[in-house]
Amino acid sequence: MRKEISFSTYRKVPIVLTHGTVNLQLNDSAFISSVLKSYIISSEKDMEKIASYYPEVESTDARGKALMTRSNKYHVMRAEGPVLPDDVIKTEVEWRKWVDDHLVHLIAPNVYRTPKEALASFDYIVREGKFGRWEGLVAKYVGAAAMYLISKRLKKRHHMRDDVRQDLYSAVNKWIVAVGKKRPFLGGEHPNLADLEVFGVLRVMEGLQAFGDVLTHTKLGLWYEHMHAAIEAGDGAQWNGFERT
Ligand SMILES: N[C@@H](CCC(=O)N[C@@H](CS)C(=O)NCC(=O)O)C(=O)O
């Protein structure tokens, strides 16, 4: 809810607050993931120092609007341990960018595709959120109607086909081809941050019609099951990020 982040001038979620020698506020999922992964795999445990490797810079979004971002935000800082081959790092970084530039934009047009799907999506949002009874009911119907209309505009903005599912299937297929058949994850035997971020986007749709359609029309299932299991096992926190098969 907006009031839950009223402490912040940055108005989006996720936000991570760290409490060490200094308190830090980390905004933006890619930056957050990179900082946390760097923290896990490195002997450097000073969050402020790690965050300083990602200086804040001014940039522009796809429509030319100025915004603040973090340079290197798709890179994990690997100061120690065996050096990963360049192409391995490049692949992870490229797919992480693809998640932000492409994959994430496919969600709204797909989950608000029809009035019925928009209502089902808002039903889920209201059930998970902290809404009062009336507030929830209003949010569900007003939200669904608004997002149904907005998603049509987003579909055009991101040059999607009329049948938005086709863009979603193409994206998922492209990802599954990149993972390949020889390894469970893009990261090898363990997920890397590209695996995690693709999972994060698709996970949002779990339980909705769009997700069921993806499972039926693509070969996402196996990789997705592996991801669930890896996350359940706390794989990201245990693996040092170096050995590869
Ligand atoms: N690039 C940001 C995007 C964050 C974002 O757009 N979050 C949405 C919810 S998933 C939000 O908070 N929207 C509220 C708003 O834009 O006002 C990230 O990956 O963290």
Side-chain angles (χ1 to χ4, degrees), residues 2-241:
R2 278 191 188 279
K3 54 179 179 280
E4 290 175 271
I5 55 164
S6 58
F7 62 87
S8 166
T9 51
Y10 177 75
R11 304 302 288 151
K12 294 182 179 185
V13 290
I15 293 172
V16 165
L17 301 175
T18 70
H19 304 287
T21 37
V22 287
N23 297 340
L24 292 182
Q25 175 175 339
L26 314 178
N27 307 326
D28 187 274
S29 7
F31 172 54
I32 292 170
S33 311
S34 294
V35 167
L36 295 183
K37 186 80 209 187
S38 303
Y39 179 88
I40 289 168
I41 68 173
S42 154
S43 62
E44 176 62 73
K45 297 298 177 197
D46 180 345
M47 272 289 186
E48 200 183 13
K49 185 109 183 265
I50 294 173
S52 76
Y53 300 146
Y54 303 88
E56 209 167 13
V57 287
E58 208 170 297
S59 178
T60 48
D61 67 10
R63 301 161 74 206
K65 210 178 121 204
L67 53 80
M68 295 307 286
T69 184
R70 294 280 181 163
S71 53
N72 314 320
K73 72 173 178 174
Y74 299 107
H75 287 264
V76 175
M77 298 300 162
R78 297 179 166 91
E80 301 130 343
V83 177
L84 285 180
D86 279 352
D87 63 309
V88 171
I89 294 176
K90 203 168 146 230
T91 308
E92 180 180 17
V93 168
E94 274 170 6
W95 282 103
R96 293 185 69 190
K97 280 192 188 140
W98 174 81
V99 170
D100 273 4
D101 297 342
H102 181 66
L103 187 66
V104 76
H105 301 301
L106 305 182
I107 302 178
N110 271 285
V111 303
Y112 306 118
R113 185 180 63 148
T114 60
K116 193 173 155 218
E117 287 176 270
L119 275 173
S121 298
F122 265 88
D123 191 61
Y124 168 55
I125 290 169
V126 168
R127 246 184 298 127
E128 297 291 328
K130 293 178 191 151
F131 292 90
R133 190 155 160 259
W134 289 108
E135 200 187 14
L137 217 58
V138 172
K140 179 174 161 182
Y141 286 93
V142 174
M147 284 315 297
Y148 171 72
L149 296 173
I150 291 171
S151 71
K152 304 294 162 215
R153 220 168 55 213
L154 295 175
K155 169 172 139 181
K156 285 212 183 74
R157 183 184 301 166
H158 297 291
H159 312 292
M160 292 172 67
R161 278 166 269 188
D162 248 344
D163 177 2
V164 290
R165 285 289 196 275
Q166 297 307 323
D167 291 85
L168 186 58
Y169 301 157
S170 302
V172 168
N173 283 332
K174 210 173 144 193
W175 167 250
I176 291 303
V177 167
V179 173
K181 291 191 175 132
K182 293 201 191 103
R183 50 188 181 186
F185 306 106
L186 189 82
E189 289 303 310
H190 302 269
N192 64 17
L193 290 185
D195 288 290
L196 187 68
E197 285 164 356
V198 171
F199 180 80
V201 167
L202 299 178
R203 169 75 183 80
V204 168
M205 296 190 280
E206 218 179 294
L208 298 173
Q209 193 187 321
F211 191 79
D213 289 346
V214 167
L215 287 185
T216 316
H217 291 91
T218 71
K219 294 201 166 79
L220 180 75
L222 192 60
W223 171 84
Y224 197 80
E225 271 173 35
H226 286 145
M227 279 305 293
H228 255 300
I231 286 168
E232 203 86 346
D235 199 333
Q238 286 159 27
W239 182 51
N240 68 17

